[in-house]
Every structure is written in C-alpha cells, then in structure tokens.
Amino acid sequence: MLNTKSDLLSHNQKAWNQQVEKGSHWTLPVSSEAIMEARQGRWGIHLTPTKKVPLEWFPPLKGTRVLCLASGGGQQAPVLAAAGANVVVVDLSDKQLEQDQFVAERDNLMIETVQGDMSDLSIFPDGSFELIVHPVSNMYVSDLQPIWHECYRVLKRGGILIAGFTNPLVYIFDSESEYEGKLEVKYSIPFSDLTSLSPELLKQYMDNGDPVIFGHSLEDQLQGQLQSGFVISGLYEDNYGGRRLLDQYISSFVATRAIKL
C-alpha cells in the first residue's frame, strides 16, 4: 500500500516507465519530419488528445526559456526546441525523459531533462521561465495547489502557463460499465484511486502497474490557478477523439492559458 508521498511518486514513476515499454500514445516521440517542419516555422503541440494548442497562445519562441512540466515522452519539448525555444523538461519518469533525449540526439536539438516531481520545482530560481507547458498530467498528484504555486513562482512577470487537465466528470463514472456501453455514476469528486476504489480493485490496478490517479474538482483546477496569482486568458475543451462513450455527451478535457501579471 502507498503510505507516503514518496511511495506514491515511486509507484507512478515505475508505472510510467512501464507505459513507455508498452508504447502508450503519450510516450511516442515525434518524427524527424515534425522536427523539420518546426524548424521551418510550421509547428504545433497537443496538451490534450486531439486539439492543438492555438498558436496565438504562445509568445514568440525564439530564445524563449520554456519549462515543459510533467511533459516527458519526446512530444512537446522537441517541437518547441526545434521552433527556437530554450527548453527544460521535468518529468517523474526517467524512461519518458529518455524519449526526449532520443529525439534531441536524433535531430540535433538542445533539450535539458530533469527527473523530478511536478509539485516541487525548488531547483529553479524565481522567474526562471517565460513559458510553462503542462500537458494533461496533474491527475497523478493528490494536491494541485503546490503545482500552481510553483508555476507562478518560476515564471517571470508576464510569463504564460498553458495547462491541460481532465474534466472531473470523467471520474464519476464506473469505467467497467462504460466499456460495456453504459454510463453508470458511481464515484464522487474529488476522486482518488486510493480511497474511491474498493481495496480489491485498487490492488488489481496496482498489481497491473497502472499509475494512481486523482480526479480534481474544477475549483481546484481553475480557482487554484487564480489563487496562486494567475489571470486566466484563454480556455478550450477537447475529448478522446471518439474513443470513449463519454465523447457523445461532453468534452473530457480542458486547456487553459494563464498569465502572471
């Protein structure tokens, strides 16, 4: 059982290393062709499954100091580096960071990789970055406020945080019933694998090497950013691209653009 934060971090790190070995979608590096396009000014990145982040959400990338937070996998960071940014990637999974290192070596890019917890950016001084790119990943931590606080701290004044997260409605439904074509409300929000699931189902997930997930409220996602000092200046929704029954009824993901004024 996971009795401490250290236990949780260790479990989720190993779980994401296994996701790399299994070839999960979010662990597959971008192609050399995508890097070539980015070098020529034609680029885009995903923080959610299907929609690209609007280009107008980004500052000019040439020479911009960018933190890709919990963003290993060789997807966002290499594209931003090829487009001219100075990129640092922080991720809990060493195997995910190896994907970024692979693309950097393959395509002659400069990318700094740091293994660490997305909630603790203490290795970076205040005002270290001008842009933070944070794809859907904060469901792997139990408390969001340290993430928003640290993002605000390490951004320069006028810096931008672009973050994706899961709509909490996803977590109220029983996943087994959804696979059978039914939407059955079973859980409440906030959701936690550790306390919402039965001991038997939790053990099954953990034995299978699945990462532990937390379903946070919209208040924690949105008001949490505002409480840390950000001003939210943009928002869009996304879904699973038709792969889940829930896509017929509501968008399952949200992305926000926030500014440190």
Side-chain angles (χ1 to χ4, degrees):
M1 190 55 63
L2 307 180
N3 297 316
T4 66
K5 181 180 179 181
S6 178
D7 291 339
L8 174 63
L9 291 173
S10 177
H11 173 82
N12 278 353
Q13 181 235 335
K14 293 174 182 176
W16 269 99
N17 282 353
Q18 290 184 27
Q19 292 296 311
V20 175
E21 294 170 0
K22 293 176 182 178
S24 166
H25 171 74
W26 291 105
T27 72
L28 302 178
V30 295
S31 66
S32 291
E33 289 74 19
I35 297 302
M36 185 182 303
E37 290 283 302
R39 282 184 163 131
Q40 296 171 359
R42 298 186 296 273
W43 60 276
I45 62 170
H46 293 85
L47 301 187
T48 58
T50 69
K51 290 184 181 179
K52 288 185 177 180
V53 182
L55 290 180
E56 59 267 25
W57 278 22
F58 295 90
L61 288 182
K62 188 70 173 178
T64 296
R65 180 83 165 160
V66 178
L67 172 63
C68 289
L69 182 60
S71 180
Q75 298 186 2
Q76 295 89 16
V79 170
L80 295 171
N86 298 324
V87 181
V88 179
V89 189
V90 171
D91 201 279
L92 189 62
S93 165
D94 49 305
K95 295 295 184 182
Q96 278 284 74
L97 292 173
E98 286 177 7
Q99 302 295 70
D100 292 281
Q101 293 161 355
F102 164 77
V103 180
E105 293 173 7
R106 183 192 68 193
D107 297 316
N108 193 27
L109 298 169
M110 291 294 295
I111 300 174
E112 180 182 350
T113 58
V114 177
Q115 186 177 9
D117 173 14
M118 70 181 87
S119 302
D120 180 5
L121 303 178
S122 56
I123 64 170
F124 301 115
D126 295 359
S128 295
F129 301 97
E130 295 156 281
L131 172 66
I132 297 176
V133 170
H134 182 39
V136 174
S137 57
N138 67 24
M139 76 278 272
Y140 302 115
V141 297
S142 60
D143 184 5
L144 294 187
Q145 203 56 47
I147 297 176
W148 304 135
H149 176 77
E150 283 289 86
C151 285
Y152 190 86
R153 181 185 66 79
V154 302
L155 274 175
K156 293 182 178 180
R157 185 171 297 179
I160 297 168
L161 165 66
I162 299 174
F165 56 87
T166 309
N167 187 325
L169 281 174
V170 169
Y171 300 108
I172 72 174
F173 297 104
D174 177 55
S175 58
E176 298 302 318
S177 296
E178 186 181 355
Y179 294 142
E180 297 171 0
K182 299 178 292 184
L183 290 177
E184 177 186 335
V185 175
K186 187 173 183 179
Y187 304 109
S188 60
I189 302 300
F191 171 90
S192 166
D193 278 348
L194 299 178
T195 57
S196 302
L197 302 180
S198 67
E200 296 77 18
L201 188 55
L202 175 60
K203 183 178 186 302
Q204 177 184 325
Y205 283 0
M206 293 188 63
D207 289 347
N208 191 48
D210 294 332
V212 171
I213 287 176
F214 301 88
H216 303 289
S217 68
L218 283 177
E219 184 172 350
D220 285 341
Q221 298 283 10
L222 299 174
Q223 179 62 24
Q225 294 184 51
L226 297 172
Q227 185 175 326
S228 291
F230 285 106
V231 173
I232 295 176
S233 61
L235 183 149
Y236 66 86
E237 295 180 306
D238 198 4
N239 59 33
Y240 287 96
R243 297 192 303 275
R244 287 188 60 169
L245 179 62
L246 196 57
D247 284 349
Q248 300 177 27
Y249 303 98
I250 195 169
S251 294
S252 300
F253 300 95
V254 179
T256 55
R257 180 185 191 266
I259 304 173
K260 177 178 179 176
L261 296 179

